[in-house]
Amino acid sequence: MAEAHQAVAFQFTVTPDGVDFRLSREALKHIYLSGINSWKKRLIRIKNGILRGVYPGSPTSWLVVVMATMGSSYYKVDISMGLVCCIQSCLPERCGPYQTPQTRALLSMAIFSTGVWVTGIFLFRQTLKLLLSYHGWMFEMHGKTSHFTKIWAICVRLLSSRRPMLYSFQTSLPKLPVPSVRATIQRYLESVRPLLDDEEYYRMETLAKEFQDKTAPRLQKYLVLKSWWATNYVSDWWEEYIYLRGRSPLMVNSNYYVMDLVLVRNTQVQAARLGNAVHAMIMYRRKLDREEIKPVMALGIVPMCSYQMERMFNTTRIPGKETDVLQHLSDSRHVAVYHKGRFFKVWLYEGSRLLKPRDLEMQFQKILDDPSPPQPGEERLAALTAGGRVEWAQARQAFFSSGKNKAALEAIERAAFFVALDEESHCYNPDDEASLSLYGKALLHGNCHNRWFDKSFTLISFKNGLLGLNTEHAWADAPIIGHLWEFVLGTDTFHLGYTDTGHCLGQPNPMLIPPQRLQWDIPEQCQVIIERSYQVAKALADDVELYCFQFLPFGKGLIKKCRTSPDAFVQIALQLAHFRDKGKFCLTYEASMTRMFREGRTETVRSCTSESTAFVQAMMEGSHMKADLRDLFRKASEKHQNMYRLAMTGSGIDRHLFCLYVVSKYLGISSPFLAKVLSEPWRLSTSQIPQSQIRMFDPDQYPNHLGAGGGFGPVADDGYGVSYMIAGENTIFFHISSKFSSSETNAQRFGNHIRQALLDIADLFQVPKADS
């Protein structure tokens, strides 16, 4: 094949006259430029490591300290209080460059200045860490900031005023604290009280008391010891035991999806939209490698942990029989592409130059125009990543550990990310309610063999130019991929743009190496395993009911007029809707983040509280005055907001209990209480998606540039998964999942209950609503 010859630097043939070498100057040029690019990256990483290591100091500040020390010496003022003389006396005499007294004095002053500079950096960092450990500002009422908090905010701004790089604050972030067992048990019992009758609650209280008095003290000691030693006492166990050790399929059960802008269309040319998106993603990766992305800051002053961003690109989940592992590479120069049952390798660079969007469009168009059929077993190969993990691990070891299969698989697993070129079209049509749900289903699982579910994320391109993501969950949580996606959509729309005919700007380079078709040799035994995994995945996908809709009557703007948190408003509405749907309350999971701590990920907010159930019951009775219902609602809202703040500040319930359970397993200790707690099903699992983290554009100026958020599969077989995005001032997007196999659930029915619950709560405050 022509592309195969262009991809090698030299060829040789053995003839009767000897060995004939034929060098390719073009290929050698690419190898040389690639080497130069690699060394540039190494130097940038070294430079960033130095700048990050001395933050909030800088080389300039070191020079200032040195000059101040030398200047004081010139004026016969010893600001070192004798330390410079002491250092000078310790330097070896008559040795090398230290022979003259002047040189020895200058060197002594430089050593003293460096010591003062390093000490100052250490003190600044420790002071900043101490300041960032204060979370009282979160518990103060909006508009009623205390004098102490104002002084604290000024101090934080002063200590972090120099322009930080992405990871500059990592060593200044406090560690996640270990809550006391007593506080965790108390909050746990409070959370389950509305779900249990008196007898059940008494039994649980007895188990909790026994655990607190007998078993917990020993487990807690080990946990505190780990918190002293490790960067974060939760995150590594959470990643391993919740994600990597899971043996069920990733598709639906773990991976989640993210939608495109749904109210505007930049182009309908599939290859062009993909060219811009891929180019924007690699631009983002370059900024990530150079640490040029600004850290996410709460209130504009409190830094969030950025460690999850490290594995965004060049990362693959490798299946194992007992546990998976995350393989992360420092760099990757290609993407893997799937189209019509065939896999391709597309280079992202020409030498050291990133391909322009028009070049990438040309490469993707070549794949779309390629008429070659799939090889035997190739079409449904990716179903292995959608089925059981043990079966995939066994097949990988048996059939993909050598030869061309190993080489092709490595091309996928070592890619920057995976791209799926779909043959079907999707879009959101406000007049067709089912359109958004069909779009979501395509992103969540596709046809079960056109997504590589092990990659950190799969970029999905539909025939009409619409995009989306399917994201593996182990390496990071949704706000991290949301940060990338916001950059990509903003760059695509407002910076790269398209021609009048919908193509990428510029002229393509026809001399580029074309996409390389991956070669497979898949035996019949492996094809049987692939088909079996496909059937498992298809049964799982067919069982998922997904209902997505845009709630139009109001959004964040009018909710705030109720003087409550928009998230609390939606969560209480979900409790009312669930009770109307099932006639009972259930254990409810809402994800909150703990990224104010180093290597923090998530914590659970148990949204079904005594206060929210009291409000729901009063609403169901229908005999209460609106003023009474408003009071009950405000109590429920305040309770929810307080629980959310506790979770964010390290005083949650579930991560602490989870880690105590892990310690008990390591020690071989049986705890009926922990076994009971960790076996309770989350029949209502919820998550809010942030709308804007980096503000690539003004939403007031471009109100239709809205993403619809994303969603995930139901956590319990007889429960619901609900994701929502409060998209600006006037709308909310909901994604509701359930299983057809459960007679208790119906996603569309629950969605209708959510609509009505939101309207009924708004009516309590007499909020004017637009026509729905």
Side-chain angles (χ1 to χ4, degrees), residues 15 21 44 103-104 224 247 258 334 363 389 476 497 555 688:
T15 69
F21 285 91
I44 288 170
T103 304
R104 289 163 57 84
V224 171
R247 301 295 81 196
V258 186
H334 72 276
Q363 298 290 66
R389 304 304 292 171
Q688 181 187 179

Side-chain angles (χ1 to χ4, degrees), residues 161 333 459:
S161 57
R333 299 175 61 81
L459 175 60

Side-chain angles (χ1 to χ4, degrees), residues 229-523:
W229 177 255
T231 309
N232 188 295
Y233 82 93
V234 176
S235 293
D236 57 339
W237 285 349
W238 187 254
E239 180 179 301
E240 179 180 357
Y241 293 107
I242 298 302
Y243 295 116
L244 297 181
R245 284 185 180 265
R247 301 295 81 196
S248 59
L250 299 183
M251 187 193 77
V252 175
N253 295 319
S254 180
N255 286 28
Y256 57 94
Y257 66 86
V258 186
M259 288 184 170
D260 199 351
L261 300 175
V262 292
L263 301 180
V264 294
R265 300 285 294 280
N266 295 321
T267 179
Q268 295 195 30
V269 180
Q270 184 178 15
R273 185 80 198 287
L274 193 55
N276 265 7
V278 171
H279 182 82
M281 283 180 167
I282 302 305
M283 285 174 60
Y284 183 94
R285 188 181 69 169
R286 184 160 57 189
K287 287 177 174 289
L288 196 62
D289 290 341
R290 296 177 178 179
E291 300 184 32
E292 294 172 352
I293 297 171
K294 295 179 181 178
V296 176
M297 312 281 276
L299 297 182
I301 58 172
V302 180
M304 301 286 106
C305 180
S306 303
Y307 100 101
Q308 293 181 60
M309 290 181 166
E310 294 175 3
R311 298 181 293 182
M312 186 178 294
F313 295 93
N314 328 323
T315 299
T316 299
R317 180 166 170 165
I318 305 298
K321 293 180 181 179
E322 294 184 0
T323 183
D324 296 352
V325 295
L326 286 175
Q327 173 186 281
H328 174 68
L329 305 175
S330 60
D331 193 20
S332 176
R333 299 175 61 81
H334 72 276
V335 291
V337 182
Y338 180 91
H339 176 246
K340 281 189 173 181
R342 305 152 312 158
F343 292 88
F344 297 84
K345 181 179 182 178
V346 176
W347 294 102
L348 298 169
Y349 294 86
E350 183 189 18
S352 60
R353 181 184 68 84
L354 172 62
L355 294 187
K356 296 178 180 178
R358 189 68 181 89
D359 294 330
L360 289 166
E361 178 189 349
M362 179 186 70
Q363 298 290 66
F364 293 128
Q365 191 61 51
K366 287 180 180 179
I367 294 175
L368 291 170
D369 296 338
D370 188 329
S372 60
Q375 300 161 73
E378 182 182 19
E379 182 176 8
R380 293 182 175 177
L381 175 63
L384 289 171
T385 70
R389 304 304 292 171
V390 175
E391 293 78 8
W392 173 207
Q394 293 171 340
R396 188 178 189 275
Q397 184 176 6
F399 304 107
F400 298 90
S401 56
S402 63
K404 61 172 64 174
N405 287 350
K406 180 181 179 181
L409 181 62
E410 283 186 348
I412 295 173
E413 293 181 339
R414 299 175 72 87
F417 51 90
F418 193 79
V419 176
L421 285 164
D422 281 16
E423 282 296 292
E424 58 186 18
S425 295
H426 283 283
C427 67
Y428 171 47
N429 180 359
D431 297 325
D432 179 10
E433 188 178 69
S435 61
L436 197 63
S437 303
L438 291 172
Y439 175 30
K441 284 273 282 184
L443 295 175
L444 181 62
H445 51 67
N447 62 14
C448 303
H449 60 76
N450 58 353
R451 317 277 182 257
W452 198 268
F453 294 100
D454 287 356
K455 287 300 290 182
S456 54
F457 64 88
T458 295
L459 175 60
I460 301 160
S461 170
F462 296 103
K463 195 170 185 178
N464 60 346
L466 200 67
L467 300 176
L469 297 176
N470 183 287
T471 307
E472 200 278 319
H473 210 325
W475 64 274
D477 302 305
I480 304 301
I481 200 72
H483 195 280
L484 163 69
W485 197 231
E486 190 178 338
F487 176 88
V488 169
L489 296 181
T491 302
D492 169 46
T493 304
F494 298 101
H495 297 281
L496 298 177
Y498 300 89
T499 65
D500 293 338
T501 56
H503 293 279
C504 297
L505 299 175
Q507 294 296 321
N509 178 6
M511 302 304 293
L512 291 175
I513 297 173
Q516 177 184 345
R517 179 79 186 273
L518 300 186
Q519 300 299 312
W520 307 90
D521 181 15
I522 302 174

Side-chain angles (χ1 to χ4, degrees), residues 547-561:
Y547 179 56
C548 308
F549 68 92
Q550 182 182 10
F551 181 76
L552 291 167
F554 57 84
K556 179 172 61 177
L558 295 185
I559 291 176
K560 285 184 175 180
K561 293 183 179 179

Side-chain angles (χ1 to χ4, degrees), residues 34 96 104 115 175 220 265 319 358 447 451 475 555 571 586 594 607 622 649 750:
S34 296
R104 289 163 57 84
K175 288 187 175 183
Q220 181 80 346
R265 300 285 294 280
R358 189 68 181 89
N447 62 14
R451 317 277 182 257
W475 64 274
Q571 284 290 328
C586 73
T594 55
S607 302
T649 54
F750 188 42

